[in-house]
Amino acid sequence: MISDFHTLSEKIEQLAALTQSLRSENAELRLRSSALSEENAELARRMQEAHDRVAALLEKIPAPEEQKEEAA
């Protein structure tokens, strides 16, 4: 009977340790997820800026027909 209580006590201690470990891991994962979300938003912003710059440059390039007319 005492052996059963001792075994149960050990299992409860293991469960408590595992619970604490999982809580710590979850907190770390939440922080990492938040950091990655911020990084993703920053990269998306930079990609949009690059897209806008390329689009602006493409608008400045004359169309092929305009180049032929100018040459004539």
Side-chain angles (χ1 to χ4, degrees):
M1 181 69 116
I2 292 177
S3 176
D4 290 339
F5 285 127
H6 181 67
T7 302
L8 181 60
S9 175
E10 287 177 351
K11 287 184 179 183
I12 290 172
E13 288 177 13
Q14 290 173 352
L15 181 61
L18 179 60
T19 300
Q20 183 58 39
S21 174
L22 290 174
R23 284 182 179 166
S24 296
E25 184 179 355
N26 282 343
E28 290 173 17
L29 290 172
R30 280 189 208 100
L31 289 174
R32 179 86 171 119
S33 176
S34 178
L36 289 173
S37 292
E38 290 175 16
E39 182 181 357
N40 188 38
E42 173 64 16
L43 291 172
R45 182 190 63 77
R46 290 174 57 193
M47 284 185 61
Q48 184 60 48
E49 288 176 357
H51 177 272
D52 294 344
R53 287 195 307 268
V54 169
L57 288 172
L58 289 174
E59 288 179 10
K60 292 180 180 179
I61 297 174
E65 293 120 24
E66 291 176 12
Q67 290 176 350
K68 289 179 186 175
E69 291 174 9
E70 290 176 4

PDB file of all heavy atoms in Angstrom, residues 10-24:
ATOM      1  N   GLU A  10       5.576   9.685  -7.070  1.00  0.00           N
ATOM      2  CA  GLU A  10       6.617   9.889  -8.081  1.00  0.00           C
ATOM      3  C   GLU A  10       6.010  10.269  -9.435  1.00  0.00           C
ATOM      4  O   GLU A  10       6.511  11.163 -10.126  1.00  0.00           O
ATOM      5  CB  GLU A  10       7.464   8.620  -8.230  1.00  0.00           C
ATOM      6  CG  GLU A  10       8.402   8.379  -7.074  1.00  0.00           C
ATOM      7  CD  GLU A  10       9.185   7.075  -7.224  1.00  0.00           C
ATOM      8  OE1 GLU A  10       8.870   6.271  -8.147  1.00  0.00           O
ATOM      9  OE2 GLU A  10      10.104   6.860  -6.429  1.00  0.00           O
ATOM     10  N   LYS A  11       4.921   9.623  -9.790  1.00  0.00           N
ATOM     11  CA  LYS A  11       4.265   9.925 -11.061  1.00  0.00           C
ATOM     12  C   LYS A  11       3.692  11.346 -11.052  1.00  0.00           C
ATOM     13  O   LYS A  11       3.753  12.045 -12.062  1.00  0.00           O
ATOM     14  CB  LYS A  11       3.179   8.901 -11.355  1.00  0.00           C
ATOM     15  CG  LYS A  11       3.736   7.551 -11.750  1.00  0.00           C
ATOM     16  CD  LYS A  11       2.650   6.575 -12.126  1.00  0.00           C
ATOM     17  CE  LYS A  11       3.274   5.248 -12.547  1.00  0.00           C
ATOM     18  NZ  LYS A  11       2.269   4.280 -12.995  1.00  0.00           N
ATOM     19  N   ILE A  12       3.163  11.750  -9.916  1.00  0.00           N
ATOM     20  CA  ILE A  12       2.631  13.109  -9.795  1.00  0.00           C
ATOM     21  C   ILE A  12       3.761  14.124  -9.916  1.00  0.00           C
ATOM     22  O   ILE A  12       3.614  15.156 -10.587  1.00  0.00           O
ATOM     23  CB  ILE A  12       1.855  13.292  -8.475  1.00  0.00           C
ATOM     24  CG1 ILE A  12       0.551  12.497  -8.537  1.00  0.00           C
ATOM     25  CG2 ILE A  12       1.569  14.761  -8.201  1.00  0.00           C
ATOM     26  CD1 ILE A  12      -0.209  12.436  -7.243  1.00  0.00           C
ATOM     27  N   GLU A  13       4.898  13.836  -9.310  1.00  0.00           N
ATOM     28  CA  GLU A  13       6.056  14.726  -9.423  1.00  0.00           C
ATOM     29  C   GLU A  13       6.542  14.806 -10.869  1.00  0.00           C
ATOM     30  O   GLU A  13       6.880  15.888 -11.357  1.00  0.00           O
ATOM     31  CB  GLU A  13       7.186  14.249  -8.515  1.00  0.00           C
ATOM     32  CG  GLU A  13       6.930  14.481  -7.039  1.00  0.00           C
ATOM     33  CD  GLU A  13       8.034  13.920  -6.147  1.00  0.00           C
ATOM     34  OE1 GLU A  13       9.107  13.570  -6.667  1.00  0.00           O
ATOM     35  OE2 GLU A  13       7.803  13.820  -4.936  1.00  0.00           O
ATOM     36  N   GLN A  14       6.575  13.667 -11.556  1.00  0.00           N
ATOM     37  CA  GLN A  14       6.976  13.655 -12.966  1.00  0.00           C
ATOM     38  C   GLN A  14       5.995  14.468 -13.820  1.00  0.00           C
ATOM     39  O   GLN A  14       6.403  15.229 -14.701  1.00  0.00           O
ATOM     40  CB  GLN A  14       7.048  12.219 -13.496  1.00  0.00           C
ATOM     41  CG  GLN A  14       8.192  11.410 -12.935  1.00  0.00           C
ATOM     42  CD  GLN A  14       8.121   9.942 -13.360  1.00  0.00           C
ATOM     43  OE1 GLN A  14       7.141   9.501 -13.955  1.00  0.00           O
ATOM     44  NE2 GLN A  14       9.172   9.202 -13.053  1.00  0.00           N
ATOM     45  N   LEU A  15       4.717  14.296 -13.531  1.00  0.00           N
ATOM     46  CA  LEU A  15       3.694  15.033 -14.259  1.00  0.00           C
ATOM     47  C   LEU A  15       3.829  16.532 -14.019  1.00  0.00           C
ATOM     48  O   LEU A  15       3.725  17.335 -14.956  1.00  0.00           O
ATOM     49  CB  LEU A  15       2.297  14.545 -13.862  1.00  0.00           C
ATOM     50  CG  LEU A  15       1.118  15.211 -14.566  1.00  0.00           C
ATOM     51  CD1 LEU A  15       1.185  14.991 -16.070  1.00  0.00           C
ATOM     52  CD2 LEU A  15      -0.191  14.674 -14.002  1.00  0.00           C
ATOM     53  N   ALA A  16       4.075  16.922 -12.793  1.00  0.00           N
ATOM     54  CA  ALA A  16       4.248  18.343 -12.468  1.00  0.00           C
ATOM     55  C   ALA A  16       5.478  18.907 -13.178  1.00  0.00           C
ATOM     56  O   ALA A  16       5.440  20.016 -13.727  1.00  0.00           O
ATOM     57  CB  ALA A  16       4.365  18.525 -10.958  1.00  0.00           C
ATOM     58  N   ALA A  17       6.569  18.157 -13.196  1.00  0.00           N
ATOM     59  CA  ALA A  17       7.785  18.605 -13.881  1.00  0.00           C
ATOM     60  C   ALA A  17       7.533  18.725 -15.384  1.00  0.00           C
ATOM     61  O   ALA A  17       7.956  19.702 -16.022  1.00  0.00           O
ATOM     62  CB  ALA A  17       8.937  17.644 -13.602  1.00  0.00           C
ATOM     63  N   LEU A  18       6.851  17.761 -15.943  1.00  0.00           N
ATOM     64  CA  LEU A  18       6.546  17.800 -17.374  1.00  0.00           C
ATOM     65  C   LEU A  18       5.635  18.981 -17.689  1.00  0.00           C
ATOM     66  O   LEU A  18       5.839  19.684 -18.691  1.00  0.00           O
ATOM     67  CB  LEU A  18       5.880  16.494 -17.808  1.00  0.00           C
ATOM     68  CG  LEU A  18       5.478  16.397 -19.276  1.00  0.00           C
ATOM     69  CD1 LEU A  18       6.694  16.541 -20.193  1.00  0.00           C
ATOM     70  CD2 LEU A  18       4.769  15.074 -19.535  1.00  0.00           C
ATOM     71  N   THR A  19       4.660  19.224 -16.849  1.00  0.00           N
ATOM     72  CA  THR A  19       3.752  20.355 -17.036  1.00  0.00           C
ATOM     73  C   THR A  19       4.523  21.668 -17.035  1.00  0.00           C
ATOM     74  O   THR A  19       4.315  22.525 -17.895  1.00  0.00           O
ATOM     75  CB  THR A  19       2.666  20.369 -15.944  1.00  0.00           C
ATOM     76  OG1 THR A  19       1.913  19.150 -16.017  1.00  0.00           O
ATOM     77  CG2 THR A  19       1.730  21.546 -16.106  1.00  0.00           C
ATOM     78  N   GLN A  20       5.430  21.822 -16.071  1.00  0.00           N
ATOM     79  CA  GLN A  20       6.226  23.040 -15.989  1.00  0.00           C
ATOM     80  C   GLN A  20       7.122  23.184 -17.221  1.00  0.00           C
ATOM     81  O   GLN A  20       7.259  24.266 -17.781  1.00  0.00           O
ATOM     82  CB  GLN A  20       7.080  23.049 -14.718  1.00  0.00           C
ATOM     83  CG  GLN A  20       7.882  24.322 -14.535  1.00  0.00           C
ATOM     84  CD  GLN A  20       7.006  25.558 -14.491  1.00  0.00           C
ATOM     85  OE1 GLN A  20       5.926  25.560 -13.917  1.00  0.00           O
ATOM     86  NE2 GLN A  20       7.465  26.622 -15.128  1.00  0.00           N
ATOM     87  N   SER A  21       7.710  22.082 -17.650  1.00  0.00           N
ATOM     88  CA  SER A  21       8.561  22.098 -18.842  1.00  0.00           C
ATOM     89  C   SER A  21       7.765  22.517 -20.073  1.00  0.00           C
ATOM     90  O   SER A  21       8.226  23.329 -20.877  1.00  0.00           O
ATOM     91  CB  SER A  21       9.176  20.715 -19.040  1.00  0.00           C
ATOM     92  OG  SER A  21       9.883  20.666 -20.247  1.00  0.00           O
ATOM     93  N   LEU A  22       6.575  21.972 -20.227  1.00  0.00           N
ATOM     94  CA  LEU A  22       5.726  22.316 -21.364  1.00  0.00           C
ATOM     95  C   LEU A  22       5.268  23.766 -21.311  1.00  0.00           C
ATOM     96  O   LEU A  22       5.185  24.431 -22.347  1.00  0.00           O
ATOM     97  CB  LEU A  22       4.526  21.370 -21.441  1.00  0.00           C
ATOM     98  CG  LEU A  22       4.863  19.933 -21.837  1.00  0.00           C
ATOM     99  CD1 LEU A  22       3.616  19.046 -21.728  1.00  0.00           C
ATOM    100  CD2 LEU A  22       5.433  19.871 -23.240  1.00  0.00           C
ATOM    101  N   ARG A  23       4.997  24.270 -20.129  1.00  0.00           N
ATOM    102  CA  ARG A  23       4.611  25.682 -20.003  1.00  0.00           C
ATOM    103  C   ARG A  23       5.763  26.592 -20.428  1.00  0.00           C
ATOM    104  O   ARG A  23       5.554  27.584 -21.127  1.00  0.00           O
ATOM    105  CB  ARG A  23       4.194  25.998 -18.571  1.00  0.00           C
ATOM    106  CG  ARG A  23       2.822  25.492 -18.231  1.00  0.00           C
ATOM    107  CD  ARG A  23       2.403  25.859 -16.837  1.00  0.00           C
ATOM    108  NE  ARG A  23       1.064  25.376 -16.579  1.00  0.00           N
ATOM    109  CZ  ARG A  23       0.511  25.292 -15.397  1.00  0.00           C
ATOM    110  NH1 ARG A  23       1.185  25.663 -14.326  1.00  0.00           N
ATOM    111  NH2 ARG A  23      -0.714  24.847 -15.261  1.00  0.00           N
ATOM    112  N   SER A  24       6.963  26.241 -20.011  1.00  0.00           N
ATOM    113  CA  SER A  24       8.135  27.030 -20.409  1.00  0.00           C
ATOM    114  C   SER A  24       8.341  26.969 -21.919  1.00  0.00           C
ATOM    115  O   SER A  24       8.606  27.987 -22.563  1.00  0.00           O
ATOM    116  CB  SER A  24       9.391  26.524 -19.702  1.00  0.00           C
ATOM    117  OG  SER A  24       9.286  26.698 -18.316  1.00  0.00           O
TER     118      SER A  24
END
